[in-house]
Amino acid sequence: MRAVEYDRYGPPEVLELREVPPPRAGKGTVVVRVAAASVNPKDCFVRKGWFRRITGRRFPRRTCYDFSGWVEEAGPGASGFARGDRVFGMVNGWGGGTCAEYIAVPRDEVCPLPEHMDIVESAAVPLAALTALQALRDIGRIGPESRVCVNGASGGVGSFAVQIAAAMGARVTAVCSAGNAGLCRGLGALRTVDYASERIEDSDERFDVFFDVFGNKPFDLTRGLLAPGGAYVTTVPNPKNLLYRLLTALSRTRARIVIVKSRRRDLETLLDLARRGALRPVIDGIYPMEKIRDAHRHVETKHTRGKIVVTVVA
Ligand SMILES: NC(=O)c1ccc[n+]([C@@H]2O[C@H](COP(=O)([O-])OP(=O)(O)OC[C@H]3O[C@@H](n4cnc5c(N)ncnc54)[C@H](OP(=O)(O)O)[C@@H]3O)[C@@H](O)[C@H]2O)c1
């Protein structure tokens, strides 16, 4: 089978499409024939070696964490899946490797995909939408009438965050470029702030949750925007954000970091939102697997409008 691999950390050019042996269905795993994967910033950071302390020096490595496709084989202890079932999901951890014709995935990271979901576009959903859901619902504890600000609202995580917050009845302010204001309003934002002409930290608005998706508005800059008992949630687990997390551990107004986890019941929640018409992936580009380098380059621009999908099965 074909899979994308690399033998050293570096630029997109290190990515290569290779013939490799197919995986076997081990205990508790499901082998999936992959229809599509999606590229997230995590794929680029790992490929560049930014997390080499965690990801180590063992090569070859593979790329991508999101997948959609069809069950090829269910291993012992992975009952409930039958050959040909449509599925999607995200693999946990740092190994990744969903940009491959077949993958072996722990059964808890595989979720049935209903017929009404487009199999290629569904690969755009898991990592980014799970991040948004877990940040807003579990950490931000938003509800009807919550005032939510999403910074970086037009990207992968942000485009889902605006929709999820709006679906939960929140009033959403989206920080995005002027060119993406219409997109964000269409996704459910009541107000947009153009980051090029207005500094959100100077706003008089108060928020119950400030979700710093893009990662350039740290807690010290934005704490004044939070209503009493409000939460700042960032996607970036850097030392400064970890410090603020510690310092606010016992405070009413808190700074937190979201670390996404693949959970089948959360994927089912996302599917439920999609079934009700409250959630859809915004797709900026679809690349064939042979163009994986271009897909990574696109994400590296930091101007992706929604998500980048990679088709694996022709
Ligand atoms: N901790 C976790 O578990 C976790 C999970 C998922 C993601 N993340 C991290 O979250 C970050 C965002 O991920 P993503 O998938 O949403 O990235 P992305 O899709 O690459 O984000 C691109 C978006 O950022 C917007 N943007 C660019 N400059 C901006 C600025 N100065 N202010 C506001 N928005 C700006 C762009 O809009 P314009 O083109 O209009 O400028 C574009 O739509 C990444 O660092 C990623 O690694 C962490």
Side-chain angles (χ1 to χ4, degrees), residues 41 45 131 154-157 177 180 195 213-214 235 258 260 302-304:
F45 301 157
T131 306
S154 57
V157 177
S177 63
N180 281 324
Y195 65 73
V213 177
F214 190 67
T235 58
V258 62
V260 65
K302 295 192 175 183
H303 290 293
T304 304

Side-chain angles (χ1 to χ4, degrees), residues 81-117:
F81 292 98
R83 189 158 196 268
D85 283 355
R86 288 156 53 97
V87 291
F88 81 139
M90 172 200 125
V91 293
N92 277 316
W94 294 89
T98 60
C99 197
E101 285 176 328
Y102 295 91
I103 53 174
V105 187
R107 61 153 294 157
D108 292 345
E109 294 164 17
V110 184
C111 181
L113 185 68
E115 284 297 325
H116 67 86
M117 296 289 291

Side-chain angles (χ1 to χ4, degrees), residues 68 70 86-88 111-123 125 267-281:
S68 60
W70 304 269
R86 288 156 53 97
V87 291
F88 81 139
C111 181
L113 185 68
E115 284 297 325
H116 67 86
M117 296 289 291
D118 180 275
I119 201 150
V120 170
E121 293 194 352
S122 295
V125 174
L267 290 169
E268 287 166 351
T269 300
L270 296 170
L271 287 174
D272 194 47
L273 288 172
R275 189 182 49 75
R276 288 162 35 202
L279 190 85
R280 65 174 175 92

Side-chain angles (χ1 to χ4, degrees), residues 136 148-154 157-163 165 172-176 184 191 193 200 207 209-214:
L136 296 171
V148 174
C149 183
V150 179
N151 178 48
S154 57
V157 177
S159 58
F160 287 117
V162 172
Q163 295 181 81
V172 183
T173 297
V175 181
C176 57
C184 293
R191 192 169 105 79
V193 172
I200 185 68
F207 301 105
V209 173
F210 186 90
F211 185 19
D212 185 10
V213 177
F214 190 67

Side-chain angles (χ1 to χ4, degrees), residues 143-148 168-171 208:
E145 300 304 316
S146 293
R147 294 156 297 174
V148 174
M168 292 173 80
R171 285 178 280 150
D208 300 298

